[in-house]
Amino acid sequence: MASRGNDNTSMKEALSAFIQKNKLEKGIDKVDARAAWAKLMGNGVNNYTTEIELKFDTLYVSLSSSVLREELSLGKSKIVRMLNEEIGKEVVKKLVLR
């Protein structure tokens, strides 16, 4: 029978170790990117957002309004910076609005 160590670890450390051991970082990053988009953009933009997908380091966002797509494309670099700040690490390097 395996013995348990008396090491006291915090819940955060235990979850981080579990995520790294099972290679779940990419899935967590995808969820974090979707949540950050929803939080930062608010209801106005979210009503026109049809799909959000993170592939590698590029966030693809499908919008149903061409006017909104054009407006957001003017501030892509700022949006990427704000998303990464919200997530807490650099996950998104490029934003593609379609």
Side-chain angles (χ1 to χ4, degrees), residues 20-40:
Q20 288 177 353
K21 181 179 178 185
N22 292 301
K23 299 178 182 171
L24 301 173
E25 294 96 356
K26 290 181 183 179
I28 298 291
D29 289 344
K30 288 180 182 183
V31 172
D32 288 345
R34 286 186 189 129
W37 177 269
K39 183 177 179 184
L40 290 174

Side-chain angles (χ1 to χ4, degrees), residues 44-83:
V45 175
N46 287 327
N47 288 337
Y48 294 103
T49 302
T50 57
E51 187 179 353
I52 303 169
E53 187 175 6
L54 180 67
K55 288 185 182 177
F56 302 105
D57 59 356
T58 304
L59 185 66
Y60 296 92
V61 179
S62 298
L63 298 167
S64 60
S65 170
S66 60
V67 175
L68 179 62
R69 184 180 321 116
E70 204 50 43
E71 190 73 26
L72 291 177
S73 68
L74 299 174
K76 280 185 182 180
S77 60
K78 182 178 180 183
I79 293 171
V80 168
R81 188 173 59 250
M82 289 170 47
L83 287 169

Side-chain angles (χ1 to χ4, degrees), residues 9-28:
T9 58
S10 69
M11 183 64 85
K12 181 178 180 178
E13 292 171 352
L15 283 173
S16 294
F18 178 80
I19 289 169
Q20 288 177 353
K21 181 179 178 185
N22 292 301
K23 299 178 182 171
L24 301 173
E25 294 96 356
K26 290 181 183 179
I28 298 291

